[in-house]
Amino acid sequence: KVQAFPAMDWRFSEFPNEGAHGLYVTCVELMVLPMDPTTVGEQLVDVILENSCHIPGDKLPEWINAVGILLSYLPPIFWDGLHNRILQLLESDLMTKWSSHLTPTEMFDLSQVDSQKIDSPAAYLLAVIHSTWQHAGFNQLCGILDLVRDRLIPVIRTEEQMMFLLHMVGPFLQRLHTDKFMRVLFDVTIQLYELLLRVDQSCAHLKYMDTVCDLLYHIKYQFTGDTVKTDAERVVRQLRPALQLRLRFIAQVPINKTE
């Protein structure tokens, strides 16, 4: 068996082990490629998006983890490739003209999608995003706010797009709270209220309002308390009565029941 690295005493090496050595040399090789860094980032994401059917199911999590850790260790310019793929998905027919018999929660479930071989790039992209952010450091994690506020929310019009963003951001609110990135946590929460308002004004009927309201209550009681109450009340006043009624314990505003 040929070893990737010669046997050596890692105690006196620049790198603590073979895995770290492999990670850094791979990042160096990616950075010196004669290609635009954004394109390199996109191609890294495509390793999963376009080749998942060729990766054995029991090895897929390892591949996703490898892509995520590589992206997290590369300079920020490479992250634009991941962000571009997110925008492309949000603007695709899959998200703007939802026709699947599955709910968004089912369509974004990697285990279900992969086991049933459902054509759902959303589930694979969501897994890559989670893997990347799981390995991300302070500056990278705080960049979630700019991504959501400046690039993603402006293109969202449908409930399914909103649900994807909530699936994307929701799991990392706990980490922002645990690591005491409170200002970022509060600002991201405000953006989620703004997102709900945007979708509420764009859609005649909302199918998943109970799920979204449950998440907002969870965020309030677990992370933010009344810190964002002023912004929440400002947004809730502009929502349809059905949403105002469901969010009445977050924002006490008069409900126009005649609408």
Side-chain angles (χ1 to χ4, degrees), residues 211-226:
T211 301
V212 176
C213 291
D214 285 346
L215 175 62
L216 293 177
Y217 275 111
H218 173 76
I219 294 172
K220 170 183 170 64
Y221 293 121
Q222 291 295 321
F223 306 129
T224 64
D226 288 331

Side-chain angles (χ1 to χ4, degrees), residues 7-122:
M8 61 181 296
D9 189 343
W10 293 97
R11 293 177 301 166
F12 306 107
S13 170
E14 179 182 0
F15 308 100
N17 51 54
E18 291 183 8
H21 193 178
L23 172 62
Y24 286 116
V25 298
T26 303
C27 287
V28 170
E29 290 181 2
L30 291 171
M31 287 189 291
V32 300
L33 288 173
M35 299 172 61
D36 178 62
T38 301
T39 303
V40 175
E42 291 174 349
Q43 295 299 316
L44 268 177
V45 177
D46 289 344
V47 169
I48 302 300
L49 297 187
E50 298 184 2
N51 299 284
S52 58
C53 60
H54 302 297
I55 302 173
D58 61 330
K59 297 294 183 181
L60 183 60
E62 297 178 11
W63 281 72
I64 294 173
N65 183 66
V67 170
I69 197 171
L70 282 171
L71 281 170
S72 69
Y73 272 78
L74 286 167
I77 186 63
F78 289 85
W79 280 49
D80 286 343
L82 175 61
H83 299 165
N84 289 346
R85 288 292 181 256
I86 298 173
L87 280 171
Q88 289 172 10
L89 175 70
L90 288 176
E91 295 176 325
S92 68
D93 288 345
L94 172 66
M95 305 301 292
T96 59
K97 302 175 182 178
W98 192 268
S99 59
S100 174
H101 66 280
L102 299 175
T103 67
T105 299
E106 294 171 331
M107 188 65 85
F108 303 154
D109 186 335
L110 179 63
S111 299
Q112 178 173 334
V113 165
D114 190 60
S115 63
Q116 299 181 20
K117 301 303 178 186
I118 300 172
D119 183 17
S120 175

Side-chain angles (χ1 to χ4, degrees), residues 174-192:
Q174 177 66 60
R175 184 177 172 194
L176 290 173
H177 182 265
T178 301
D179 292 350
K180 305 302 182 184
F181 303 154
M182 302 307 292
R183 186 67 263 167
V184 178
L185 173 61
F186 298 152
D187 289 343
V188 168
T189 302
I190 293 171
Q191 291 306 309
L192 297 185

